[in-house]
């Protein structure tokens, strides 16, 4: 298996199953860890980074070869990857944008079923992340603890009894744990309640980010909710805090959807049908518009307004219509204008599957 | 249903989180608009960046001279100065948490509302943190020795590092 094989597959977190999968896309947990006998990344030399990479890579490989971690792993040297490949991994949420764009020796180990990935030499020496489809934080926490324990048997993590796991940035110190749940909240956006919800979340120290994390404008009504605090609470406590608020958000979103159906079913049905119509017929379309329209269609499917289209198909289109994915799928380097044409073609092909021919070809 | 703030019919049903508990509000479009528009105060209430946080707590009770002196303090292990940390928001090595403990404490309190870890800890124990920071320091000294062409000193340091690494492996094997 190599990177190109990932292009046509659909990772675990896009499976569209799991608890509450109509609203909760995925649950993710990441841990930040550092080796005790090396400086943090900002004070490493090029040879330090190469040495850290070698040590961690070989330990993870040994764990893999001993059959202790689930499934097969793909090892990628990020430094050597083409820009489009790095971008592809970011879109797939297997590496962070920072990892894609920084310098020096760095790599990633990816479970080929995309249930976990391990970044080496990101902001910290080690960033382990686990992702599950739907709302499934307990299982995700269990899996990441197992991976962490396996690696910890082999190396010495920087740790103090007072401050816990020591990280390059003081915002991650302690547990090094970031729990995040990606939610699809279109009805809260339409009813203009979303801002209010976010402010309430901030008050209880939870962060809200867009689809692609840090600083990204949330587009297409997809939002990630995560903890800010990492010190002074247990891992279970931190996960529980996020896990407890998610059902509340789900029930708000469901209420808002019911309200929309009740108050103005025609308007909602019209909105969803138009979105579907554009996606099935457009000849050129931006990724932003695609995200917005797919969001409407996704809600329409969940409300039974559009039949016969599985949610995993929509989840896949959300990712496959991103710039690097399109280029990997088409096998060509494309500029923005060509991507918009390619994107529209791809959407028409995948959304006109009910036996009728592509209406735009007539 | 009537709007809770005026006589018009309520068309917006807002559920607010108050301390994690849902609180229902039924409003007309106009009142909902007013309610949902963040006040300036609320808009400013975003998690301040690390630099801002640091500037905030450092400004209190510290003269310019104090700040200058503080900024020049450098970690003996990795060499990072407090000024460098303030600028980049990233520390240079694990020892910085000890060396800058006093400066970091209010910052940690601000971010986490706590300064004591109670979560998971390494199963085999965090053995020999001092030894580990010593290795980091020696590696840096060796690099400097090579840079100044003090090869004899560099080779001494290399032997020292190897001995420590060896001992380290035994302790943890
Ligand atoms: Zn009113
Ligand atoms: Zn240091």
């Amino acid at each position: 298996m190599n990177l190109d094989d990932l292009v046509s597959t659909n990772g675990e977190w896009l499976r569209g199953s799991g608890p509450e999968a109509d609203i909760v896309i995925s649950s993710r947990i990441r841990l930040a860890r550092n080796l005790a006998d090396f400086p943090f990344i900002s004070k490493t030399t090029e040879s330090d980074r190469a040495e850290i990479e070698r040590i961690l890579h070989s330990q993870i490989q040994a764990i893999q070869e001993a059959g202790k971690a689930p499934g097969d792993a793909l090892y990628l040297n990020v430094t050597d990857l083409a820009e489009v490949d790095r971008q592809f991994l970011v879109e797939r949420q297997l590496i962070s944008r920072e990892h894609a764009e920084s310098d020096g020796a760095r790599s990633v180990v990816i479970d080929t079923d995309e249930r976990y990935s391990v970044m080496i030499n990101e902001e910290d020496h080690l960033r382990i992340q686990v992702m599950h489809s739907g709302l499934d934080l307990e299982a995700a926490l269990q899996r990441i603890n197992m991976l962490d324990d396996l690696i910890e048997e082999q190396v010495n993590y920087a740790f103090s009894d007072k401050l816990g796991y020591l990280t390059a940035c003081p915002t991650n110190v302690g547990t090094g744990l970031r729990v995040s749940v990606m939610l699809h909240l279109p009805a809260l956006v339409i009813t203009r309640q979303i801002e209010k919800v976010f402010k309430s979340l901030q008050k209880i120290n939870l962060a809200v980010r867009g689809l692609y994390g840090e600083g990204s404008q949330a587009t297409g009504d997809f939002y990630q909710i995560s903890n800010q605090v990492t010190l002074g609470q247990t891992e279970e406590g931190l996960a529980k805090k996020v896990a407890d608020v998610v059902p509340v958000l789900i029930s708000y979103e469901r209420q808002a959807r019911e309200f929309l159906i009740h108050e103005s079913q025609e308007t909602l049905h019209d909105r969803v049908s138009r979105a579907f119509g554009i996606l099935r017929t457009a000849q050129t379309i931006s990724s932003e518009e695609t995200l917005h329209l797919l969001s409407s269609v996704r809600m329409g499917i969940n409300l039974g307004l559009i039949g016969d289209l599985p949610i995993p198909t929509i989840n896949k289109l959300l990712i496959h219509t991103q710039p690097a994915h399109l280029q990997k799928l088409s096998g060509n380097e494309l500029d923005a204008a060509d991507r918009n044409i390619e994107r529209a073609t791809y959407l028409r092909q995948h959304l006109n599957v009910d036996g009728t021919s592509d209406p735009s070809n007539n | 249903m009537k709007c809770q703030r005026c006589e018009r019919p309520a068309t917006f049903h807002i559920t607010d989180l108050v301390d994690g508990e849902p609180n229902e509000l039924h409003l007309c479009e106009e009142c909902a608009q007013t309610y949902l528009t963040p006040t300036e105060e609320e808009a400013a209430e975003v998690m301040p960046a690390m630099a801002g946080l640091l500037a905030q707590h450092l400004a209190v009770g510290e003269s310019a001279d104090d700040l200058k002196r503080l900024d020049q303090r450098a970690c003996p292990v990795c060499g990072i100065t407090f000024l460098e940390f303030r600028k980049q928001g990233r520390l240079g090595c694990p020892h910085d948490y000890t060396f800058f403990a006093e400066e970091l404490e209010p910052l940690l309190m601000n971010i986490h509302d706590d300064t004591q870890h109670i979560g998971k800890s390494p199963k085999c124990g965090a053995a020999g943190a001092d030894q580990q920071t010593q290795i980091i320091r020696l590696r840096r000294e060796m690099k400097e020795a090579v840079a100044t062409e003090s090869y004899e000193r560099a080779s001494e340091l290399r032997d020292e590092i190897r001995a420590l690494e060896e001992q380290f492996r035994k302790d943890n094997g």
Side-chain angles (χ1 to χ4, degrees):
Chain A
M1 178 126 188
N2 59 36
L3 183 139
D4 288 342
D5 295 324
L6 286 176
V7 176
S8 52
T9 62
N10 216 355
E12 147 72 26
W13 67 274
L14 288 169
R15 206 156 38 88
S17 60
E20 315 280 7
D22 56 333
I23 292 174
V24 184
I25 311 270
S26 64
S27 306
R28 292 168 178 265
I29 300 185
R30 75 109 165 99
L31 286 175
R33 298 286 189 255
N34 288 279
L35 296 178
D37 50 347
F38 284 90
F40 295 142
I41 297 294
S42 71
K43 280 288 173 188
T44 50
T45 59
E46 190 56 36
S47 67
D48 285 336
R49 283 198 289 277
E51 181 69 1
I52 294 165
E53 205 284 322
R54 191 191 60 75
I55 292 170
L56 289 172
H57 173 204
S58 70
Q59 295 301 351
I60 294 164
Q61 196 166 30
I63 290 165
Q64 273 296 332
E65 279 165 6
K68 290 179 186 164
D72 293 324
L74 171 64
Y75 167 79
L76 296 170
N77 192 332
V78 177
T79 327
D80 295 343
L81 289 180
E83 199 186 322
V84 66
D85 288 339
R86 281 182 271 146
Q87 183 58 33
F88 168 82
L89 294 174
V90 174
E91 289 172 3
R92 204 58 164 253
Q93 304 205 335
L94 293 167
I95 67 171
S96 62
R97 185 153 287 156
E98 181 172 350
H99 202 50
E101 290 168 2
S102 70
D103 304 304
R106 64 200 193 283
S107 59
V108 62
V109 181
I110 298 167
D111 164 39
T112 52
D113 291 324
E114 296 176 52
R115 291 163 298 188
Y116 72 86
S117 73
V118 182
M119 283 180 272
I120 303 174
N121 288 348
E122 205 242 24
E123 181 183 300
D124 295 291
H125 298 159
L126 202 63
R127 285 282 177 98
I128 312 168
Q129 70 157 345
V130 160
M131 41 275 182
H132 281 231
S133 183
L135 181 59
D136 201 7
L137 286 174
E138 220 172 292
L141 186 59
Q142 220 171 351
R143 171 160 286 160
I144 206 160
N145 263 326
M146 181 204 70
L147 289 168
D148 184 43
D149 291 346
L150 286 169
I151 299 170
E152 194 165 73
E153 280 172 19
Q154 312 296 324
V155 300
N156 285 287
Y157 284 152
F159 181 87
S160 95
D161 287 332
K162 178 165 166 59
L163 293 176
Y165 293 93
L166 304 176
T167 52
C169 183
T171 53
N172 296 317
V173 78
T175 55
L177 185 86
R178 191 78 68 213
V179 175
S180 75
V181 174
M182 199 203 292
L183 301 162
H184 183 217
L185 305 172
L188 287 176
V189 174
I190 294 171
T191 57
R192 288 186 276 185
Q193 299 178 76
I194 200 84
E195 280 297 321
K196 207 73 214 174
V197 169
F198 289 173
K199 273 186 273 161
S200 324
L201 290 173
Q202 275 164 4
K203 273 178 200 146
I204 56 169
N205 272 323
L206 294 177
V208 183
R209 295 194 183 87
L211 185 54
Y212 284 105
E214 221 88 25
S216 74
Q217 180 70 39
T219 40
D221 317 323
F222 297 93
Y223 298 95
Q224 298 182 56
I225 316 292
S226 59
N227 62 305
Q228 305 252 30
V229 166
T230 56
L231 177 66
Q233 296 181 45
T234 62
E235 286 78 3
E236 289 75 17
L238 292 170
K240 188 173 181 300
K241 188 169 177 185
V242 175
D244 282 351
V245 84
V246 171
V248 181
L249 296 175
I250 292 171
S251 83
Y252 292 175
E253 171 65 19
R254 288 203 206 290
Q255 276 174 36
R257 288 181 185 192
E258 252 161 60
F259 167 74
L260 286 173
I261 291 244
H262 188 74
E263 289 299 286
S264 51
Q265 165 133 27
E266 292 76 19
T267 316
L268 186 67
H269 200 168
D270 181 67
R271 182 192 195 108
V272 167
S273 305
R274 282 170 187 270
F276 196 32
I278 293 172
L279 290 170
R280 292 173 73 177
T281 54
Q283 299 296 312
T284 167
I285 191 166
S286 71
S287 67
E288 207 182 3
E289 187 181 6
T290 304
L291 215 51
H292 274 287
L293 297 175
L294 282 173
S295 168
S296 288
V297 168
R298 196 177 188 278
M299 176 171 64
I301 296 168
N302 285 327
L303 293 176
L305 300 171
I306 297 175
D308 286 346
L309 199 60
I311 284 292
T313 302
I314 299 297
N315 287 357
K316 186 174 98 173
L317 289 176
L318 283 168
I319 300 303
H320 283 197
T321 55
Q322 301 283 327
H325 270 76
L326 274 182
Q327 296 180 73
K328 294 295 288 177
L329 283 162
S330 75
N332 294 311
E333 231 178 85
L334 304 168
D335 65 18
D338 286 339
R339 283 202 299 272
N340 290 349
I341 294 168
E342 181 68 26
R343 183 176 296 113
T345 308
Y346 188 82
L347 286 165
R348 291 201 308 276
Q349 277 168 2
H350 286 81
L351 291 173
N352 294 298
V353 288
D354 51 359
T356 63
S357 62
D358 180 346
S360 64
N361 285 345
N362 298 328
Chain B
M1 189 184 291
K2 220 168 56 180
C3 171
Q4 286 172 307
R5 302 206 172 161
C6 72
E7 295 299 309
R8 280 178 292 233
T11 48
F12 276 79
H13 307 274
I14 297 163
T15 321
D16 213 353
L17 273 179
V18 180
D19 294 331
E21 291 296 318
N23 176 33
E24 305 257 353
L25 274 170
H26 308 281
L27 303 172
C28 71
E29 170 140 24
E30 207 164 299
C31 294
Q33 204 63 48
T34 316
Y35 182 71
L36 294 176
T37 308
T39 63
E40 242 166 78
E41 204 176 291
E42 283 175 313
E45 194 191 290
V46 276
M47 173 92 173
M50 179 77 60
L53 273 173
L54 277 164
Q56 252 174 40
H57 90 256
L58 286 173
V60 185
E62 313 243 13
S63 70
D65 278 356
D66 287 344
L67 258 180
K68 216 174 189 177
R69 212 169 308 125
L70 173 59
D71 275 348
Q72 281 165 0
R73 285 191 70 208
C75 166
V77 173
C78 71
I80 194 173
T81 62
F82 198 71
L83 179 67
E84 268 179 87
F85 165 63
R86 280 209 299 135
K87 281 189 172 159
Q88 67 187 26
R90 305 281 183 276
L91 293 163
C93 82
H95 186 64
D96 298 351
Y97 282 101
T98 311
F99 187 73
F100 297 119
E102 215 174 291
E103 291 80 24
L104 288 174
E105 175 131 350
L107 177 68
L108 292 173
M109 203 59 203
N110 206 332
I111 301 168
H112 302 288
D113 209 16
D114 213 308
T115 57
Q116 177 65 50
H117 177 62
I118 59 164
K120 188 177 178 177
S121 54
K123 286 207 172 60
C124 6
D130 288 347
Q131 275 176 6
Q132 291 157 353
T133 50
Q134 209 180 336
I135 293 179
I136 300 176
R137 185 176 53 80
L138 292 172
R139 281 210 201 97
R140 188 166 67 97
E141 281 178 20
M142 183 172 84
K143 214 172 51 199
E144 281 164 8
V146 172
T148 56
E149 302 188 349
S150 318
Y151 295 114
E152 209 167 306
R153 176 77 187 128
S155 85
E156 279 169 27
L157 285 163
R158 190 198 51 212
D159 292 344
E160 239 180 289
I161 293 166
R162 283 202 183 144
L164 266 176
E165 282 176 341
E166 191 74 13
Q167 192 187 341
F168 209 45
R169 237 162 266 144
K170 265 185 224 143
D171 288 350
N172 295 288

